[in-house]
Amino acid sequence: MSNDPNDPFDELMRRSLHEEADRIEPSDALPEIRARAHAQRSAARRPWLLTAGLAAAGTAAAIGAFTMLNGPDNTADDGDAVAGSTTTTTATVVPESRTPSVAIPSPAPSQAPTEPPSTSPSAKTVSPTDRGVPEPAVKSTVVPVYWLGQQVGAQKKSAARLYRTWAKVSGRPAEQAVRIMTTKQPTDPDYYSVWRGAALNTVTRSNGIVTVDFKQLPKSNLDPDLAKVATQQLVYTVQGALQDNKTPIQITEAGRSSGKLFGQIDTGTPVSRAAAGEVQALVWIDSPSENQMVAPKVTVQGVAAAFEATVNYEVTNLKTRETRKSFANTAEGQKFSPYAFQLTLTPGAWQISVYLLSDQDGSVTDTDTKSIVVK
Amino acid sequence: MAQPAVVYEECVTHESSWDADEALTAVYTAHYTSLVRLGALLLRDTGTAEEIVQDAFVAMHARWNRLRDPHKALAYLRTAVVNRCRSRQRHLVVVDKHTPRTLPDEPSAEQAVLRTEETDRVIEAMRTLPEKQRTVMVLRYYGDLSEAEIADTMGISRGSVKSHAARASKSLRQLLEQNA
């Protein structure tokens, strides 16, 4: 190897390899690495730790997710309307309201929805009668995609909770939603998924069961609580896209039920939706979405299950550190219910944090944050 | 920020001032991107490089009690990444023999900023090198590692590093002069 520091060959090599390398900008993977690292440790021994203030660098996420408030009922509780239902009682306030066409899935010409999946490009290993039929494809729709996020103040129960983002998709909504959940990075750097690496095959329904078949399921082992929430992440996402939160989800791998998902969850029988209170984040922001450009007058909307209906918020200008603190009320206390508040902000980058306080000691128990840019 | 203070339920007492989580966060912040880039140079496939680097970080976290030192952690990560990339590459070569032209080639479209012609020629030329020679060159010119560090990372002798580097340089110089 040449040791002459001025050798033009060395210079050329160095410059070229650096130039080539600099073209690569990996997206943030710390939350995922942390989740996997903890999942691999003996979960009982070490509780989930929260490292606050992570350097969660640019997740210019691949998802064209945007948010809206979709009515209280979609998240209100079990058995209520799912996300995507047309009960837009409060959706009128939201600027980017879901297009009404959503509720009317227009089958793609070549794919009659009732036909057996001979038309399905992803042909399967099992006969159609066993597997049910795929959902109809649509031109364009908006589906909820759920992610895991830390529950900051958790002491006992599972520390991860479900958070929701929205994505615009075309094709078969539930399949697209699961694909995003298993292959993309969430727009919000505080969210993560333990489904990365799973490869979806099909989503089909037959009487009374929705079957989500994977070519490959995630191989990681998680602690029981996290495994439960991660499984519900799939259930919530699929049911949200299908606009049906009653039908249980059968999870299979290459057409067969495949033992314990995440080393914990029995997939021999279909999985039902867990109550929102058990798995859903107790507070989240639906709108604005992460990194959204907004006008100075911002309406922040979300859903919370808050003690005495109080949702606290703090808004910080990321440059000047100007901070405003106040609170808003949800429509109803103690159960999942929408809240909204208005802000008038100066141009620049701001961070909005909403949080719930413990009724016992006043500590922060749950939070969601969004960074936005005010035009 | 309304982020509350960190909640530790368990007192972590290591000799090092960092626990595994803090180490993970710190080392990740400092080196994740460059390790992915290193992997991508070796593999020419960013997605696989990301996977491999993430695996390496998970392994590093599990082993922090033994490493306890960010410098050792980085050396460990580098070795893990290089080893995994190399074995992946060997596997790909085998696969490639049977299914021609399926080698993952380029970073995905969104990252495909146009390279300069000069870089293009160097990267093309690097492709013709045998795997060991290419690895040595990437570690030397992108990783800025010394001969000894390259030897440690690849688990070969310094003499081998020297001879791989010499052969690689010779072929590259020839190729680049031809195409110049």
Side-chain angles (χ1 to χ4, degrees):
Chain A
M1 154 181 327
S2 162
N3 289 320
D4 175 2
N6 298 318
D7 187 333
F9 174 75
D10 284 350
E11 247 324 290
L12 172 66
M13 290 299 296
R14 211 162 266 135
R15 192 169 58 232
S16 302
L17 289 185
H18 278 273
E19 191 190 303
E20 178 70 3
D22 286 347
R23 301 163 70 215
I24 293 153
E25 279 300 336
S27 47
D28 181 40
L30 183 55
E32 199 179 322
I33 293 170
R34 263 191 318 156
R36 288 179 49 203
H38 284 269
Q40 284 198 355
R41 309 204 114 195
S42 101
R45 214 161 41 83
R46 306 202 66 209
W48 273 53
L49 302 184
L50 173 76
T51 319
L54 304 168
T59 44
I63 314 168
F66 61 94
T67 62
M68 70 197 66
L69 184 60
N70 208 41
D73 32 11
N74 54 12
T75 49
D77 213 347
D78 251 9
D80 276 346
V82 279
S85 79
T86 44
T87 48
T88 48
T89 45
T90 55
T92 43
V93 249
V94 180
E96 305 136 297
S97 184
R98 172 194 285 257
T99 51
S101 68
V102 162
I104 321 146
S106 53
S110 63
Q111 287 157 330
T114 45
E115 251 174 69
S118 54
T119 48
S120 161
S122 43
K124 25 191 97 137
T125 51
V126 191
S127 72
T129 42
D130 294 336
R131 316 299 302 162
V133 291
E135 56 187 320
V138 297
K139 266 221 185 71
S140 172
T141 189
V142 174
V143 290
V145 179
Y146 287 84
W147 306 97
L148 303 185
Q150 283 288 355
Q151 186 179 23
V152 288
Q155 255 107 43
K156 35 201 185 298
K157 288 192 192 159
S158 71
R161 288 258 169 182
L162 298 182
Y163 286 84
R164 185 178 60 183
T165 60
W166 294 93
K168 206 169 195 169
V169 298
S170 57
R172 304 181 195 279
E175 285 188 16
Q176 293 306 320
V178 175
R179 289 229 156 80
I180 291 169
M181 192 188 98
T182 52
T183 61
K184 304 284 193 207
Q185 200 74 29
T187 30
D188 189 320
D190 297 331
Y191 303 165
Y192 64 96
S193 175
V194 289
W195 284 88
R196 197 106 175 258
L200 177 70
N201 195 17
T202 51
V203 178
T204 50
R205 28 188 346 164
S206 57
N207 37 342
I209 289 181
V210 171
T211 302
V212 182
D213 187 44
F214 287 86
K215 289 180 205 121
Q216 194 190 323
L217 281 167
K219 292 201 187 69
S220 49
N221 288 320
L222 304 178
D223 74 73
D225 289 334
L226 183 60
K228 180 190 170 184
V229 179
T231 306
Q232 288 298 321
Q233 186 193 351
L234 179 73
V235 174
Y236 271 58
T237 299
V238 170
Q239 292 188 335
L242 295 175
Q243 304 183 20
D244 166 4
N245 61 9
K246 293 276 200 318
T247 310
I249 308 293
Q250 175 71 58
I251 302 166
T252 57
E253 189 173 39
R256 289 186 203 92
S257 71
S258 73
K260 300 255 186 226
L261 178 60
F262 300 119
Q264 302 285 352
I265 306 292
D266 181 20
T267 56
T269 52
V271 184
S272 298
R273 186 186 187 88
E278 287 174 36
V279 293
Q280 186 174 309
L282 296 184
V283 62
W284 71 40
I285 298 172
D286 270 304
S287 170
S289 57
E290 183 72 13
N291 293 331
Q292 192 176 325
M293 292 270 278
V294 295
K297 221 169 193 180
V298 193
T299 304
V300 180
Q301 298 174 325
V303 174
F307 176 69
E308 289 182 340
T310 306
V311 177
N312 301 278
Y313 65 84
E314 185 173 311
V315 191
T316 307
N317 184 309
L318 293 176
K319 200 165 172 196
T320 63
R321 310 312 299 181
E322 178 193 345
T323 296
R324 292 185 220 163
K325 269 173 118 158
S326 186
F327 66 92
N329 286 318
T330 53
E332 288 175 272
Q334 326 294 32
K335 56 184 285 197
F336 285 102
S337 171
Y339 66 88
F341 56 90
Q342 275 226 330
L343 300 164
T344 305
L345 302 173
T346 51
W350 292 80
Q351 184 175 58
I352 306 168
S353 300
V354 294
Y355 54 99
L356 306 182
L357 296 177
S358 160
D359 56 325
Q360 267 145 45
D361 57 9
S363 65
V364 173
T365 58
D366 299 84
T367 181
D368 193 14
T369 61
K370 301 288 170 202
S371 300
I372 57 166
V373 178
V374 178
K375 281 182 279 196
Chain B
M1 296 229 330
Q3 289 275 20
V6 178
V7 182
Y8 287 103
E9 288 188 32
E10 188 181 275
C11 222
V12 189
T13 46
H14 289 322
E15 279 168 43
S16 156
S17 57
W18 275 348
D19 71 16
D21 288 314
E22 290 166 329
L24 180 67
T25 305
V27 180
Y28 172 92
T29 306
H31 301 294
Y32 180 73
T33 301
S34 64
L35 285 165
V36 170
R37 288 171 170 174
L38 174 69
L41 285 179
L42 293 172
L43 284 175
R44 309 179 332 239
D45 175 357
T46 308
T48 310
E50 282 182 284
E51 248 172 61
I52 284 174
V53 175
Q54 289 169 18
D55 290 348
F57 270 96
V58 172
M60 182 218 100
H61 182 274
R63 166 172 335 238
W64 177 249
N65 279 343
R66 270 165 283 165
L67 295 165
R68 284 198 190 154
D69 168 352
H71 296 288
K72 278 191 202 153
L74 176 60
Y76 171 80
L77 285 169
R78 204 158 49 206
T79 306
V81 169
V82 168
N83 280 341
R84 285 167 209 226
C85 285
R86 292 183 64 198
S87 65
R88 182 65 73 108
Q89 240 173 339
R90 287 192 287 266
H91 168 75
L92 284 177
V93 170
V94 173
V95 172
D96 197 38
K97 275 183 184 149
H98 301 284
T99 50
R101 299 299 92 200
T102 53
L103 253 177
D105 218 7
E106 285 300 312
S108 57
E110 68 253 34
Q111 288 148 342
V113 181
L114 279 184
R115 316 172 170 129
T116 63
E117 206 179 310
E118 179 189 77
T119 299
D120 221 31
R121 287 195 297 127
V122 171
I123 299 299
E124 278 304 315
M126 287 279 287
R127 275 184 201 179
T128 65
L129 297 179
E131 178 269 311
K132 272 190 190 165
Q133 293 183 20
R134 190 167 58 230
T135 306
V136 169
M137 297 307 262
V138 168
L139 290 175
R140 171 157 165 70
Y141 291 109
Y142 177 67
D144 281 321
L145 299 192
S146 69
E147 254 168 41
E149 287 170 317
I150 298 174
D152 281 350
T153 302
M154 293 178 67
I156 58 179
S157 70
R158 286 182 65 170
S160 312
V161 173
K162 247 191 193 35
S163 70
H164 286 306
R167 264 179 253 149
S169 302
K170 196 175 161 210
S171 332
L172 287 177
R173 279 175 204 266
Q174 274 174 357
L175 268 173
L176 293 171
E177 269 162 34
Q178 269 173 25
N179 299 345

